[in-house]
């Protein structure tokens, strides 16, 4: 089964996705702040050039597909990313969804069923249109649905986003990926909510699971069928790579090679943690860190070629296509 996946540069058959980074960001911005309080390190053309060079470098390392999980709440601008995508050999896939871990923006709080401006839920309209027609008036369609909850658990607003994502998944089959709070075992409540909404848990990635050092928690998530995102390698301000590598190898020893995906949650530019801050605090947090440092260390720790292929090629394909 090789259902095709939409990317910025056309449909790609599941068999051709190749080595895939399934949780990254090209540009994380804030359009309102960018107008009213421009960030001194943001230079649009310079950052587009930097993104092009990063992705050409990734292609030389064997990466063929990158999923950009920048959605509403993180400054998604697919026209800007398209300027990168058309110049690089790596394919970029876009996402729909809403990064609102606690409270939705005012528009969504007041527009929707039973709300002040009563009508269909604009979140559902947005997700379905992004998946079926294209994002923001372009023909770039979304390949994943990104949702979030954090240390506060599933708030009423995040439950609404989960419900909209579940409806979009049921209607389109596009997989769901989450931002979860690993330290409070937040992925379990996410699974509970999605299961109640009739989402098959094997079509869900519990993102940021790699931030947990609780083996029982990670096994519980995987035993319910979801994929675990070990997707923040290099993000040293929330966890240590040594812990992520240790937990990953333990999960592999317990037979979970078919439930894990690897990525960095890095960005070419993020207004939230700008390049000058990253240079000091997270110098390894780039999209090439797995290839430069982490995978060589995992190989030294016993990761064999077949398992590496499973983690980097087969599992992302299964997430994106729903295939075996
Ligand atoms: Zn992310």
């Amino acid at each position: 089964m090789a259902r095709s996946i939409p990317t910025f540069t056309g449909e790609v058959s599941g068999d051709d996705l190749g080595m895939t980074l399934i949780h990254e960001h090209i540009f994380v911005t804030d359009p309102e702040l960018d107008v009213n309080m421009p960030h001194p390190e943001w230079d649009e053309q310079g950052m587009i050039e930097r993104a092009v060079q990063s992705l050409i470098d990734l292609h030389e390392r064997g990466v063929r597909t990158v999923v950009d999980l920048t959605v509403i709440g993180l400054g998604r601008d697919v026209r800007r990313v398209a300027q990168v995508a058309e110049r690089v050999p790596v394919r970029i896939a876009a996402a729909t969804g809403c990064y609102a871990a606690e409270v939705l923006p005012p528009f969504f709080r007041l527009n929707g069923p039973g709300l002040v401006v009563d009508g269909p839920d604009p979140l559902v309209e947005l997700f379905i249109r992004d998946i079926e027609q294209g994002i923001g008036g372009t023909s770039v369609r979304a390949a994943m649905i990104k949702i979030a909850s954090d240390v506060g658990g599933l708030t009423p607003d995040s439950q609404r986003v989960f419900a909209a994502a579940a409806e979009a998944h049921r209607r389109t089959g596009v997989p769901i990926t989450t931002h979860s709070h690993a330290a409070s075992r937040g992925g379990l409540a996410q699974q509970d909510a999605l299961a109640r909404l009739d989402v098959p848990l094997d079509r869900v990635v519990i993102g940021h699971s790699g931030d947990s050092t609780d083996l029982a928690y990670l096994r519980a998530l995987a035993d319910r069928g979801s994929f675990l995102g070990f997707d923040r390698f290099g993000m040293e301000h929330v966890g240590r790579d040594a812990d992520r590598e240790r937990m990953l190898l333990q999960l592999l020893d317990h037979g979970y090679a078919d439930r894990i995906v690897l990525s960095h949650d890095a960005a070419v530019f993020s207004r939230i943690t700008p390049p000058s801050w990253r240079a000091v605090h997270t110098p390894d947090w780039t999209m090439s860190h797995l290839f430069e440092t982490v995978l060589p260390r995992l190989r030294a720790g016993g990761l064999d070629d077949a398992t590496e292929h499973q983690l980097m090629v087969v599992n992302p394909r299964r997430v994106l296509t729903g295939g075996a």
Side-chain angles (χ1 to χ4, degrees):
M1 161 156 174
R3 194 172 79 84
S4 71
I5 298 304
T7 74
F8 275 80
T9 43
E11 296 270 322
V12 178
S13 144
D15 293 331
D16 294 333
L17 287 168
M19 197 193 292
T20 300
L21 293 174
I22 203 155
H23 189 139
E24 305 292 346
H25 300 274
I26 309 297
F27 305 120
V28 175
T29 66
D30 185 323
E32 187 180 15
L33 282 181
D34 293 342
V35 168
N36 291 287
M37 189 188 178
H39 196 282
E41 293 177 46
W42 173 249
D43 157 23
E44 179 169 28
Q45 206 51 48
M47 289 303 161
I48 287 172
E49 295 304 323
R50 182 187 284 202
V52 167
Q53 286 311 313
S54 305
L55 289 160
I56 289 172
D57 172 69
L58 283 182
H59 187 264
E60 285 165 7
R61 296 175 188 278
V63 174
R64 294 294 174 265
T65 308
V66 170
V67 182
D68 182 357
L69 290 183
T70 309
V71 296
I72 299 299
L74 294 171
R76 183 181 68 177
D77 181 346
V78 293
R79 287 181 177 81
R80 183 181 284 145
V81 176
Q83 293 180 56
V84 177
E86 64 201 17
R87 292 176 52 194
V88 298
V90 169
R91 290 171 298 245
I92 305 174
T96 189
C98 185
Y99 186 83
E102 287 165 9
V103 178
L104 280 164
F107 168 74
F108 292 111
R109 287 177 70 82
L110 294 182
N111 286 254
L115 300 175
V116 172
V117 184
D118 197 0
D121 192 333
L123 286 167
V124 176
E125 288 184 356
L126 172 75
F127 297 171
I128 298 278
R129 187 169 59 226
D130 285 355
I131 291 167
E132 293 188 337
Q133 293 168 41
I135 296 169
T138 72
S139 59
V140 177
R141 292 184 295 114
M144 294 191 89
I145 306 167
K146 160 94 167 279
I147 56 180
S149 67
D150 208 279
V151 63
L154 269 80
T155 65
D157 278 9
S158 61
Q159 287 177 39
R160 189 171 147 210
V161 178
F162 274 56
E167 180 167 350
H169 171 77
R170 292 193 307 266
R171 283 165 59 177
T172 66
V174 167
I176 293 174
T177 185
T178 74
H179 163 102
S180 71
H181 188 255
S184 60
R185 298 165 58 100
L188 293 170
Q190 294 185 334
Q191 287 184 320
D192 290 343
L194 291 169
R196 275 198 303 274
L197 293 160
D198 294 325
V199 175
L201 293 180
D202 62 359
R203 300 308 322 282
V204 175
V205 179
I206 301 297
H208 313 332
S209 294
D211 293 346
S212 173
T213 53
D214 180 343
L215 184 63
Y217 166 65
L218 295 170
R219 294 186 68 176
L221 291 175
D223 285 340
R224 296 174 80 180
S226 298
F227 291 85
L228 308 182
F230 274 65
D231 49 20
R232 283 177 151 180
F233 283 102
M235 198 170 173
E236 292 281 335
H237 57 299
V238 296
R240 296 168 54 233
D241 279 350
D243 289 328
R244 297 182 178 110
E245 291 162 18
R246 177 170 56 86
M247 298 314 294
L248 174 60
L249 290 170
Q250 285 184 32
L251 285 165
L252 295 177
D253 279 345
H254 282 88
Y256 291 101
D258 63 341
R259 304 284 163 85
I260 301 167
V261 284
L262 308 186
S263 209
H264 307 91
D265 199 7
V268 174
F269 175 89
S270 169
R271 174 162 188 140
I272 303 167
T273 46
S276 61
W277 182 89
R278 291 182 182 219
V280 174
H281 297 280
T282 57
D284 294 333
W285 193 21
T286 71
M287 287 178 221
S288 56
H289 180 49
L290 274 168
F291 310 100
E292 287 169 346
T293 308
V294 176
L295 286 168
R297 277 200 302 245
L298 290 169
R299 289 174 200 133
L303 178 69
D304 61 52
D305 288 351
T307 307
E308 184 173 330
H309 182 76
Q310 174 99 32
L311 298 174
M312 300 303 297
V313 177
V314 177
N315 291 349
R317 180 177 73 219
R318 290 170 54 229
V319 168
L320 289 166
T321 65

